[in-house]
Amino acid sequence: GRIHPGEFVGELSFFDGKPRASHVVALEPSEVIMIPKVELTSLLPHWYHQIGKNITKKIRLLDKVVHDSN
């Protein structure tokens, strides 16, 4: 897949702490910023983080099902 300006990488890992599901290679000069997890976590309410964990779990499970079916 391709990501475009303003899109995120590593959002699943933010919520569950597991390794990223993919790798990224820039095809053109790019500006990338890293937002430390502790800084972002402190800005989000606890319920938001819990919802993110639940959604992330479902996405990873669906990724596995798709991968295993090929």
Side-chain angles (χ1 to χ4, degrees):
R2 291 184 182 238
I3 60 171
H4 302 281
E7 291 187 285
F8 299 96
V9 176
E11 65 276 12
L12 298 181
S13 295
F14 170 78
F15 288 109
D16 68 8
K18 294 181 181 177
R20 291 187 324 274
S22 59
H23 299 281
V24 178
V25 175
L27 299 176
E28 59 188 63
S30 303
E31 183 176 337
V32 179
I33 62 167
M34 183 182 87
I35 303 170
K37 182 176 180 174
V38 67
E39 288 183 27
L40 188 54
T41 302
S42 68
L43 299 173
L44 300 173
H46 179 72
W47 60 265
Y48 187 91
H49 198 72
Q50 288 304 119
I51 289 172
K53 281 183 174 182
N54 290 337
I55 292 171
T56 297
K57 185 176 179 181
K58 291 176 185 179
I59 291 170
R60 290 203 189 262
L61 177 61
L62 289 173
D63 280 349
K64 182 176 179 354
V65 168
V66 169
H67 182 266
D68 291 349
S69 69
N70 291 329

